[in-house]
Amino acid sequence: MKPLKRITFNPEIMGGKPCIRGMRVTVGTIVGLMAAGHTPEDILKAYPYLEREDIYEALAYAAWRVEEIEVPLASA
C-alpha cells in the first residue's frame, strides 16, 4: 500500500478530521457525496480547487479505515 500524501490531519482544521491537502474539505464530505450518487465530475465542479486524485485518495483512505489499517498521514 502506498503512503497517502493528499490526506492530512490537523487538530486545528475541521476539528482534527482527515482533510484533503490541509483544506477544509473532509474525507467524510467526499465519501458522503459519492455515497449520495454524485460523480467525481460533480464533486470537481462543486469544489473546483480539488483534483481527481484527491477524490480517489479520500475513497482509498476511507476503505482502509473501515478495515482498521493504520495509514500514515501527512502533516498539514
Side-chain angles (χ1 to χ4, degrees):
M1 160 185 355
K2 67 179 188 174
L4 300 175
K5 297 182 183 203
R6 294 173 173 269
I7 308 301
T8 57
F9 174 83
N10 183 336
E12 296 179 15
I13 299 174
M14 298 301 287
K17 293 179 182 177
C19 292
I20 307 297
R21 293 185 286 127
M23 295 184 278
R24 299 182 65 79
V25 179
T26 65
V27 168
T29 297
I30 300 300
V31 172
L33 288 168
M34 293 291 291
H38 294 281
T39 65
E41 291 75 22
D42 295 336
I43 296 169
L44 294 172
K45 188 180 259 188
Y47 299 90
Y49 42 86
L50 292 180
E51 299 171 359
R52 184 172 300 279
E53 293 80 14
D54 296 328
I55 295 169
Y56 293 126
E57 194 159 299
L59 294 173
Y61 175 78
W64 285 323
R65 288 297 297 164
V66 169
E67 295 296 325
E68 297 183 356
I69 297 171
E70 291 295 322
V71 177
L73 299 178
S75 298

